[in-house]
Amino acid sequence: MDRLDAEIAGCRRCPRLVAWREQVAATKRAAFRDEEYWGRPVPGFGAHDARIGILGLAPAAHGGNRTGRIFTGDRSGDVLFAAMHRAGLANQPTSTSRDDGLAITATRIFAAVRCAPPDNKPTPAERDTCAPYLHRELALIRPDLRVVIALGGFAWAAFWPALRAVYGVAPARKVPFGHGTLWQADGAPALLGCYHVSQQNTFTGRLTPGMLDEVFTRAKALAGIG
Ligand code: SF4
């Protein structure tokens, strides 16, 4: 896993995303002008023997692309890690920097695309170029992984090719994304849909802390975590 993480962090396969992540890192947001941005792809974070996977879209330009850790340093992460702390899966409710002492339990967090994309919208070609990293990461945690929480429709859609590539399993028909939708098959981890923890969803009340708590309660039950 450490070798994979290092390989991901050095990747430059997508010219548009390389240019964007580095431009953001150079120009910075005013509030972070004294910080050195990571400005590189963001590897997965968490346990190497995770029973729960959390699959996001991509790092945020001034979040993961700044701090170098997925969902760290932005409002989405504030919501996610607070929920993980309530669920007993994180030792603290906040995630502000790579050296903030955060440790998560039995869980690994990763994104379908590892570089921050403009407008949070990777192209299909960028998604497909990055997909092998997700597949390799899933293969490494396969022995223990029991459930993947897909945060939003992009992550949901990215999981099916991974399922085919890593587990050789494909659903008989397309399963549409929905909050609370659960898909299960023999020989593969369960897939649980959850609205993305974006500000757009959490500020509007589309995704509430109570809804996130329910998702983590279900995920823990599926993962056999008491
Ligand atoms: S999105 Fe993925 S494949 Fe493309 S440059 Fe970033 S890490 Fe590499």
Side-chain angles (χ1 to χ4, degrees), residues 48-181:
H48 293 191
D49 56 353
R51 300 179 71 82
I52 299 173
I54 299 176
L55 179 59
L57 194 171
H62 301 280
N65 189 57
R66 172 173 59 90
T67 62
R69 195 172 68 193
I70 194 73
F71 280 114
T72 294
D74 61 34
R75 299 304 292 268
S76 299
D78 291 347
V79 172
L80 177 64
F81 288 108
M84 290 181 68
H85 184 249
R86 291 195 300 276
L89 297 172
N91 67 335
Q92 60 188 44
T94 57
S95 176
T96 54
S97 70
R98 287 203 309 285
D99 57 2
D100 61 5
L102 174 67
I104 60 176
T105 305
T107 309
R108 191 158 174 94
I109 308 173
F110 32 65
V113 171
R114 308 299 173 114
C115 291
D119 299 323
N120 289 322
K121 288 196 179 99
T123 65
E126 289 160 352
R127 175 200 62 203
D128 294 346
T129 302
C130 206
Y133 290 136
L134 172 63
H135 302 177
R136 288 167 62 189
E137 193 159 356
L138 286 168
L140 286 170
I141 59 174
R142 177 177 179 170
D144 300 286
L145 188 67
R146 296 292 174 269
V147 56
V148 173
I149 301 170
L151 295 175
F154 190 96
W156 181 268
F159 184 72
W160 305 108
L163 195 66
R164 273 193 300 278
V166 180
Y167 292 88
V169 171
R173 60 184 176 280
K174 193 173 175 201
V175 185
F177 170 77
H179 181 85
T181 298

Side-chain angles (χ1 to χ4, degrees), residues 4-86:
L4 175 62
D5 289 349
E7 188 181 330
I8 291 171
C11 183
R12 304 182 66 84
R13 284 185 195 154
C14 303
R16 186 184 79 115
L17 299 188
V18 171
W20 173 252
R21 77 191 193 206
E22 293 180 356
Q23 182 193 325
V24 169
T27 54
K28 305 183 182 180
R29 179 176 281 169
F32 308 122
R33 64 179 173 275
D34 295 331
E35 294 188 27
E36 185 171 342
Y37 274 52
W38 174 255
R40 294 154 61 190
V42 181
F45 168 57
H48 293 191
D49 56 353
R51 300 179 71 82
I52 299 173
I54 299 176
L55 179 59
L57 194 171
H62 301 280
N65 189 57
R66 172 173 59 90
T67 62
R69 195 172 68 193
I70 194 73
F71 280 114
T72 294
D74 61 34
R75 299 304 292 268
S76 299
D78 291 347
V79 172
L80 177 64
F81 288 108
M84 290 181 68
H85 184 249
R86 291 195 300 276

